[in-house]
Amino acid sequence: NIQRQISLLFKKLSMKRKNSIARKKANKEKLLFKDPKILNFYTKFKSIIFKNIKDKSFALAVSGGSDSLCLAYFTKMYASEFGNKIHVLIVDHNLRKESHQEALKVKAILGKRKILGKILSWKGKVPKSNIQKKARDMRYTMLSNYCVKNKIKYLITAHHGDDQIENFFIRLIRGSGLTGLSSMEINTKYNRHLKIIRPFLDLKKKDLKYITLNYFKTYIEDPSNKNEKFLRVRIRKYRKSMEKEGLDTGKIIKTVHNLVSANRALNFYKDKAIYRHVSFVSKNKCLINKQIFLDEAGEIIFKSFSDILSLISGAYYPPRSRKVIDLINRVKKIKFTKSTLGGCVVEKKDNFILISKELKIRKMS
């Protein structure tokens, strides 16, 4: 009994020592928040994550840029504070020869701050055209597959206010409707298994860079950010010119917020329309009652078809608005029998429209 009591005493002392060391490490990290500006940004971040993520385990996408490294830092602090398990995912698109080395460099930068990163490497065909869109699709495919495999329901990304403004202008140039112009929201459903959380939408890139340089002292600059063949890069230059002419970017953000609010209202009625008129046969197949064309407004029909095409195909973004509208107009015609769009097959079946995932036939070598 005496030996047992001595053993228990040593265990308690050992646990106290470990807890003391852990507290000292946590306090050392928190000293970095002595900057009130960083503390203010972290408090906003913490509030959004706490409100939108209900699980102890979640993932985040880190590219090595100043915004994503800031995300890794804040997420590390949040996990330390609330005991979460985080999966820090680095995507290697394999688009350039240097891409794998860059991914390793990002992993090393994180490692120096005791953040464990995992590299996801693309193994499929590398695109030669429409590179930015296809790279985005590749990125989300890898991230989503990892999350599904590891039963993770939430993925955090570092999209910020400047991204929001750039998306607005890009979609305005392309003639997007309300859904496109309202751009990104803090909490978005990616597919049946995954939600994307964007806690930085009210922050500017320069703020995230300030935080990252305070903590990591470095970040990686994506060379494509200076390549003017990409519309997004040209938009950034236009913005600088417009700001010199007095364009108030704060008003653009306010406009986007108003569009988001209007889009949410339409989504409410779109969800009701899908509930009334759509039956999901399986995760890759559904039937739409043609009564939807008589009962619902044009915008609700458009949003319903866009959502269903995205959901059935598994793509993050639905097909372009013009293509969806053309499909709806064709479907309404008596002579319509079958068509394909956005990775889906659309067929007429009596009083229903059948939408199913398009099967890709692999060529035998």
Side-chain angles (χ1 to χ4, degrees):
N1 285 337
I2 292 171
Q3 284 181 336
R4 189 180 174 189
Q5 286 177 356
I6 291 170
S7 176
L8 287 170
L9 182 61
F10 273 110
K11 279 184 180 178
K12 284 182 180 178
L13 289 171
S14 177
M15 286 297 293
K16 282 184 179 179
R17 184 172 177 274
K18 285 179 181 178
N19 289 337
S20 176
I21 292 168
R23 279 195 298 272
K24 283 179 181 177
K25 284 183 178 179
N27 288 335
K28 189 177 179 183
E29 291 282 14
K30 285 180 181 178
L31 283 175
L32 292 164
F33 287 151
K34 63 185 179 183
D35 185 327
K37 188 176 177 180
I38 296 177
L39 176 60
N40 180 45
F41 292 147
Y42 174 71
T43 302
K44 289 178 180 178
F45 168 87
K46 183 166 65 171
S47 174
I48 290 169
I49 298 300
F50 192 80
K51 182 180 177 181
N52 289 279
I53 295 183
K54 308 303 179 185
D55 287 2
K56 281 289 184 181
S57 176
F58 54 83
L60 57 147
V62 178
S63 66
S66 57
D67 39 5
S68 70
L69 285 176
C70 179
L71 179 67
Y73 169 34
F74 276 6
T75 306
K76 175 193 174 184
M77 299 307 297
Y78 184 90
S80 173
E81 193 172 350
F82 295 100
N84 299 87
K85 181 181 179 183
I86 58 173
H87 298 252
V88 183
L89 307 178
I90 306 159
V91 171
D92 171 15
H93 297 87
N94 202 21
L95 291 171
R96 293 177 288 107
K97 291 178 182 178
E98 308 85 9
S99 64
H100 186 65
Q101 288 302 315
E102 286 173 1
L104 289 172
K105 188 175 179 182
V106 175
K107 189 174 181 179
I109 291 170
L110 294 169
K112 286 179 181 177
R113 286 296 187 176
K114 303 291 187 294
I115 302 172
L116 180 64
K118 181 175 179 60
I119 297 173
L120 306 179
S121 298
W122 179 254
K123 304 295 183 185
K125 188 178 178 182
V126 177
K128 302 294 181 185
S129 61
N130 201 7
I131 293 171
Q132 285 204 324
K133 180 190 179 300
K134 289 175 182 175
R136 182 185 63 212
D137 293 341
M138 289 157 58
R139 179 165 62 252
Y140 278 105
T141 296
M142 285 189 279
L143 292 168
S144 176
N145 288 345
Y146 177 90
C147 289
V148 170
K149 185 178 178 181
N150 290 275
K151 297 180 180 178
I152 298 166
K153 296 179 183 177
Y154 300 94
L155 171 71
I156 309 177
T157 67
H159 293 109
H160 46 78
D162 293 87
D163 291 325
Q164 187 82 292
I165 292 171
E166 288 164 15
N167 279 357
F168 174 81
F169 279 119
I170 288 169
R171 292 173 184 185
L172 187 66
I173 289 169
R174 288 175 178 165
S176 295
L178 177 62
T179 303
L181 291 174
S182 58
S183 195
M184 297 177 286
E185 290 197 61
I186 288 173
N187 188 327
T188 307
K189 191 174 182 180
Y190 176 74
N191 55 30
R192 287 187 183 90
H193 311 285
L194 188 65
K195 282 188 176 180
I196 294 176
I197 310 298
R198 304 180 181 96
F200 289 159
L201 288 183
D202 285 333
L203 297 182
K204 296 177 181 178
K205 187 175 181 70
K206 66 177 184 180
D207 297 325
L208 303 178
K209 189 183 290 187
Y210 172 83
I211 298 163
T212 292
L213 289 175
N214 264 270
Y215 187 66
F216 289 100
K217 310 301 180 188
T218 186
Y219 63 89
I220 293 174
E221 189 73 56
D222 186 345
S224 68
N225 286 336
K226 296 180 180 178
N227 192 336
E228 289 193 34
K229 77 175 183 180
F230 298 122
L231 177 58
R232 185 174 293 276
V233 177
R234 299 198 299 274
I235 289 288
R236 283 172 193 154
K237 291 208 165 187
Y238 298 154
R239 273 190 65 200
K240 288 178 182 177
S241 299
M242 288 186 285
E243 281 170 3
K244 288 178 182 177
E245 295 297 326
L247 177 72
D248 186 348
T249 54
K251 288 181 180 177
I252 296 171
I253 288 290
K254 190 175 180 180
T255 298
V256 172
H257 285 170
N258 290 336
L259 290 171
V260 166
S261 180
N263 196 45
R264 282 179 189 156
L266 283 176
N267 280 335
F268 174 80
Y269 291 103
K270 176 262 299 176
D271 290 341
K272 281 183 171 290
I274 289 176
Y275 179 78
R276 280 196 296 265
H277 301 292
V278 182
S279 300
F280 285 89
V281 180
S282 69
K283 68 175 184 177
N284 296 326
K285 192 179 291 186
C286 78
L287 287 165
I288 304 175
N289 193 319
K290 286 198 283 185
Q291 187 67 25
I292 194 172
F293 297 122
L294 299 174
D295 292 352
E296 308 297 341
E299 184 67 18
I300 301 301
I301 295 167
F302 163 75
K303 288 176 79 66
S304 298
F305 269 79
S306 291
D307 269 24
I308 290 165
L309 289 167
S310 179
L311 195 62
I312 295 296
S313 68
Y316 179 47
Y317 289 102
R320 293 275 172 88
S321 301
R322 175 180 52 79
K323 292 184 177 181
V324 177
I325 292 167
D326 287 345
L327 174 69
I328 292 168
N329 289 333
R330 278 184 279 123
V331 164
K332 287 179 178 179
K333 292 179 180 177
I334 297 171
K335 293 181 180 180
F336 175 82
T337 54
K338 188 175 181 178
S339 185
T340 59
L341 180 63
C344 294
V345 179
V346 183
E347 304 172 75
K348 184 183 283 185
K349 297 286 182 182
D350 298 323
N351 289 322
F352 295 90
I353 304 298
L354 174 66
I355 299 183
S356 53
K357 189 168 185 175
E358 189 175 14
L359 296 175
K360 293 182 180 179
I361 301 171
R362 292 184 180 180
K363 294 181 180 180
M364 298 296 289
S365 55

